[in-house]
Amino acid sequence: MIEGAVKFYLGFLFPYGEYYVTGPPTSPENRFCGEDGKSHSVGMASTMDISILKELFGYYLKICNILGIEGETADVKRVLSKLPPFKTGSFGQIREWFLDYPETEIHHRHVSHLYGLYPGNLITENTPELLEACRVALERRGDEGTGWCMAWKACLWARLRDGEHALGLLKNQLRYTREENISCVGGGIYLNMLCAHPPFQIDGNFGFAAAVAEMLIQSRKGHILLLPALPAEWKDGNVRGMKVQSDITVDFEWRGGRIHRVRLCSSHEQKVTLECNGISKTIFLRPDGTEDMIFDWSVLRAWKS
């Protein structure tokens, strides 16, 4: 399936200047003001398009390497190296389109150009200037929107490690609404806790849970970060059965905003770096046991359970 998508986009992309671009693309539902002063929705190389393609091509190369196959790797490497980079606009924000077009609706509920930050992993702490550009883009968009939109923004703020802002959006999403007619404004939830778009979108419910998870734990292959975006109101708590990348199950407890106990269970032997309380520690996991750790305020001790 992935190779089929790769083959399609190798044929769909076309050269434009020094880059390969998609065309015609959109940035879902949002519009920009063109050089003619009119509102447009179709252009070239929208940031969301390019972000998804960078992930697709990157994953394809990893898969081919694991399987030891050539496939389309030569063409993918050539095209991937010529996809447009992330660029900042005149306000310091991540650009939504290839050119620095102004939005016709600054507070549009979609934040498609931030896909590379979340749910993607293209913009990380290794690219601090892009993280700041994402922050500017979010601030320009504002915190209003429909239920699913506020959940996505909460996930983005959590990825930026701003727990207070993420929590504020989740509280906005929990506002009760009676609106039932199809609408792109209003947001919130109904009495049955279903997300109000309105009339209803499950994205908001799933996204709410995803945002809470993102505030408590973030992971990528070989690295786990605990409490990356913990708001002050959640100073004490515990989590059980949280899944992270590489098939690791994590239980943890925190007091006063600091991790007190962590348990890691892995389905296979692997090495992982755990980061919390300002400490990073490399841990070796085996499938025949767990790692159980207690964090004294300044000293980390680990032992087998």
Side-chain angles (χ1 to χ4, degrees), residues 75-93:
D75 284 338
V76 168
K77 289 178 181 178
R78 175 177 56 84
V79 173
L80 179 59
S81 68
K82 293 186 177 182
L83 290 179
F86 290 106
K87 295 183 179 181
T88 55
S90 54
F91 296 96
Q93 82 284 14

Side-chain angles (χ1 to χ4, degrees), residues 220-224 244-245 248 264 270-274 281-285:
R220 57 182 183 271
K221 186 173 177 60
H223 186 268
I224 300 172
V244 298
Q245 290 191 24
I248 299 173
L264 305 177
Q270 60 178 306
K271 179 176 68 174
V272 65
T273 298
L274 181 67
K281 183 174 178 62
T282 299
I283 303 161
F284 295 89
L285 300 173

Side-chain angles (χ1 to χ4, degrees), residues 235-262:
K235 63 177 182 178
D236 302 313
N238 65 85
V239 171
R240 292 198 298 176
M242 188 79 80
K243 279 287 188 180
V244 298
Q245 290 191 24
S246 299
D247 197 16
I248 299 173
T249 304
V250 187
D251 303 338
F252 56 99
E253 175 187 351
W254 66 95
R255 301 175 186 173
R258 296 177 64 85
I259 291 294
H260 177 68
R261 182 185 293 273
V262 183

Side-chain angles (χ1 to χ4, degrees), residues 10-210:
L10 286 175
F12 184 78
L13 290 159
F14 64 92
Y16 180 73
E18 60 183 308
Y19 301 115
Y20 277 96
V21 301
T22 55
T26 67
S27 191
E29 298 187 31
N30 201 8
R31 301 171 70 88
F32 61 88
C33 184
E35 296 173 354
D36 58 2
K38 297 180 180 180
S39 176
H40 300 275
S41 59
V42 176
M44 287 187 296
S46 71
T47 301
M48 188 180 202
D49 273 12
I50 300 303
S51 299
I52 293 174
L53 286 178
K54 285 180 178 179
E55 282 208 327
L56 171 68
F57 288 163
Y59 286 139
Y60 179 73
L61 293 175
K62 290 180 181 179
I63 292 169
C64 288
N65 181 60
I66 293 170
L67 298 178
I69 59 176
E70 182 67 22
E72 307 292 327
T73 56
D75 284 338
V76 168
K77 289 178 181 178
R78 175 177 56 84
V79 173
L80 179 59
S81 68
K82 293 186 177 182
L83 290 179
F86 290 106
K87 295 183 179 181
T88 55
S90 54
F91 296 96
Q93 82 284 14
I94 289 284
R95 282 192 200 174
E96 191 161 358
W97 296 277
F98 184 74
L99 299 178
D100 192 16
Y101 292 124
E103 312 99 319
T104 58
E105 186 183 349
I106 294 176
H107 301 302
H108 194 278
R109 64 195 178 282
H110 282 259
V111 283
S112 305
H113 51 315
L114 302 185
Y115 174 93
L117 175 62
Y118 184 96
N121 290 287
L122 298 171
I123 300 175
T124 68
E125 64 274 8
N126 297 323
T127 55
E129 70 287 350
L130 293 179
L131 282 179
E132 179 58 27
C134 288
R135 182 182 298 276
V136 173
L138 277 173
E139 289 173 345
R140 280 174 53 80
R141 283 293 160 91
D143 293 343
E144 293 302 315
T146 54
W148 67 267
C149 164
M150 288 187 281
W152 190 5
K153 289 178 180 178
C155 289
L156 289 161
W157 280 111
R159 190 62 65 89
L160 290 172
R161 303 187 185 182
D162 189 334
E164 300 302 332
H165 211 135
L167 180 61
L169 281 156
L170 294 183
K171 287 183 176 181
N172 286 347
Q173 189 177 347
L174 290 176
R175 292 179 303 188
Y176 171 59
T177 180
R178 293 179 178 273
E179 180 63 54
E180 296 179 359
N181 296 320
I182 295 177
S183 172
C184 292
V185 296
I189 61 167
Y190 299 117
L191 283 177
N192 59 9
M193 297 296 287
L194 293 180
C195 168
H197 179 48
F200 161 65
Q201 284 190 331
I202 196 64
D203 314 40
N205 292 99
F206 291 158
F208 190 102

